[in-house]
């Protein structure tokens, strides 16, 4: 039995990696999915692969006016929204001593400001039992070498959710954080020096109790769970999907 039949879902950053896998899984479970990102050609390619239940919309989450246009389109075309996967995110390796103002703004504007306005601007069109899933990271609870700004941005969104469950009290809307561990995506591989991608993956794998990095689909199936009625009493949690990496 499909778990998301008839639901209308938004996946930000849905043209790549974890977001694309979530969009694909949502569609397999019966949802119609709007995917957003900045790069139009990658969005068009993603929609081609996802099929007719996918709609693409170019929007930069760090620009609230572009989010307003996105929600106008969703209101006009679909009339409401049942699920949000706030997945768009970015990060750069910079050790303390080399952090630049530009990289701070790039990271926080996407990962924190982007999440705030993705959620806030959706409120008028969210259905009464909507599920919001914020894609966090294991680094919300751990230190990371040369990745402090990104890690702090993920701690920030985890804490936003603690407060938002209170602000949303009485609306029936659930909001949770899905925190992936190391997952093989274009975004992750882009952090490696050219030609050193396998080295990066095996060095991560050696730190993970399950002994391997995750596939994007392993995040997507958990996103389906959080979006569905199977998780009807789960609210405000941070669900780690990390092969045990930060549980030991
Ligand atoms: P990818 O780089 O593969 O995908 C990131 C997506 O976000 C792309 O679709 C990108 O599209 C979009 N995006 C980036 N910036 C913006 C923006 N300003 N506005 C709109 N869309 C944007 O990364 P992953 O799939 O690896 O990451 C997805 C999420 O998972 C992120 O939040 C990341 O922090 C988190 N995560 C990933 C882990 C991993 O190991 N891969 C581990 C823990 C968390 P475009 O460039 O076209 O805008």
């Amino acid at each position: 039995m499909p778990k998301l039949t008839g639901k209308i879902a938004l996946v930000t950053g849905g043209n790549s990696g974890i977001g694309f896998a979530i969009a694909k899984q949502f569609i397999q479970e019966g949802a119609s999915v709007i995917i957003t990102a900045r790069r139009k050609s990658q969005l068009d390619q993603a929609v081609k692969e996802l099929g007719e239940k996918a709609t693409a919309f170019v929007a930069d989450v760090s620009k609230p006016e572009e989010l307003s246009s996105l929600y106008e389109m969703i209101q006009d075309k679909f009339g409401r929204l049942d699920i949000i996967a706030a997945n768009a995110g970015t990060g750069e390796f910079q050790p303390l001593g080399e952090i630049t103002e530009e990289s701070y703004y790039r990271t926080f504007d996407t990962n924190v400001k982007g999440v705030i306005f993705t959620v806030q601007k959706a409120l008028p069109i969210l259905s009464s039992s909507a599920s919001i899933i914020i894609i966090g990271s294991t680094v919300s609870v751990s230190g990371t070498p040369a990745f402090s700004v990104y890690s702090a941005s993920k701690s920030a969104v985890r804490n936003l959710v603690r407060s938002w469950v209170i602000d949303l009290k009485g609306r029936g809307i659930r909001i949770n954080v899905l925190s992936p561990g190391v997952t093989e995506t274009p975004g992750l591989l882009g952090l490696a020096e050219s030609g050193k991608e396998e080295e990066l993956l095996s060095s991560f794998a050696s730190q993970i109790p399950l002994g391997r990095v995750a596939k994007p689909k392993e995040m997507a199936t958990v996103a389906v769970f959080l979006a569905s009625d199977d998780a009807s009493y789960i609210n405000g949690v941070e669900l780690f999907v990390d092969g045990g990496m930060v549980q030991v």
Side-chain angles (χ1 to χ4, degrees), residues 11-22 36-43 57-63 66-67 86-91 106 109-111 114-115 134-139 147 150 153-154 178-191 201 204 213-214 216 219 241:
V11 181
T12 66
N15 64 2
S16 174
I18 293 171
F20 179 75
I22 291 175
T36 68
R38 294 162 303 175
R39 290 167 299 164
K40 185 171 181 334
S41 56
Q42 275 84 351
L43 268 177
F57 193 90
V58 177
D60 183 332
V61 293
S62 71
K63 298 185 175 151
E66 295 190 11
L67 290 170
N87 162 79
T90 191
R106 266 195 301 275
D109 282 359
T110 301
N111 298 5
V115 166
I134 310 294
I135 305 303
S137 170
T138 49
V139 300
F147 218 29
Y150 172 82
S153 76
K154 294 298 186 178
L178 188 174
S179 280
V182 185
T183 309
E184 193 174 338
T185 65
L188 179 83
L189 296 173
L191 293 171
L201 292 179
F204 277 128
V213 304
M219 304 303 135
V241 189

Side-chain angles (χ1 to χ4, degrees), residues 2-9 26 29-32 53 80 82-83:
K3 291 188 181 295
L4 304 176
T5 305
K7 301 282 187 189
I8 313 296
F26 281 180
E29 295 291 340
S32 297
K53 293 198 85 176
R80 66 169 206 284
D82 303 308
I83 300 163

Side-chain angles (χ1 to χ4, degrees), residues 114-196:
V115 166
I116 291 172
F117 291 102
T118 296
V119 173
Q120 179 164 290
K121 284 182 174 288
L123 292 178
I125 62 165
L126 280 180
S127 57
S128 56
S129 58
S131 171
I132 305 171
I133 301 156
I134 310 294
I135 305 303
S137 170
T138 49
V139 300
S140 66
V141 294
S142 65
T144 45
F147 218 29
S148 59
V149 173
Y150 172 82
S151 305
S153 76
K154 294 298 186 178
S155 302
V157 293
R158 196 285 168 255
N159 200 273
L160 288 170
V161 167
R162 287 191 193 280
S163 302
W164 287 346
V165 288
I166 305 169
D167 291 344
L168 288 168
K169 189 175 174 191
R171 275 201 64 174
I173 297 170
R174 296 181 296 108
I175 179 162
N176 293 292
V177 183
L178 188 174
S179 280
V182 185
T183 309
E184 193 174 338
T185 65
L188 179 83
L189 296 173
L191 293 171
E193 277 175 48
S194 179
K196 299 219 164 152

